[in-house]
Amino acid sequence: MDKYLLVILVFCLVGIPISFVSPTTGELREPPFLLLFYASIGGICIIIVYNSFKERQQHKTNLERRRKSKK
């Protein structure tokens, strides 16, 4: 996984508890901030899908290079 994707993934993971706990008081929020929660979950899913797509494309190009070098 790229450095940049890993940093964004960490920010998404940190955003999940922040949506339920107030950072200033440390107590649970009465109405949790669900928009931040679902945005973090969606961001994590997008990062995982994008990273797997990118690795699959890289694997295809590596296979094509190997096939060309054998000929």
Side-chain angles (χ1 to χ4, degrees), residues 14-21 29 31-34 36-37:
V14 169
I16 292 174
I18 288 175
S19 64
F20 291 106
V21 177
R29 294 179 194 239
F33 194 44
L34 293 179
L36 179 61
F37 175 73

Side-chain angles (χ1 to χ4, degrees), residues 39-61:
S40 296
I41 296 293
I44 291 169
C45 292
I46 289 171
I47 288 172
I48 291 172
V49 168
Y50 175 74
N51 190 39
S52 64
F53 173 75
K54 194 173 160 184
E55 286 180 0
R56 189 177 309 132
Q57 294 292 63
Q58 184 66 32
H59 185 69
K60 277 185 182 179
T61 51

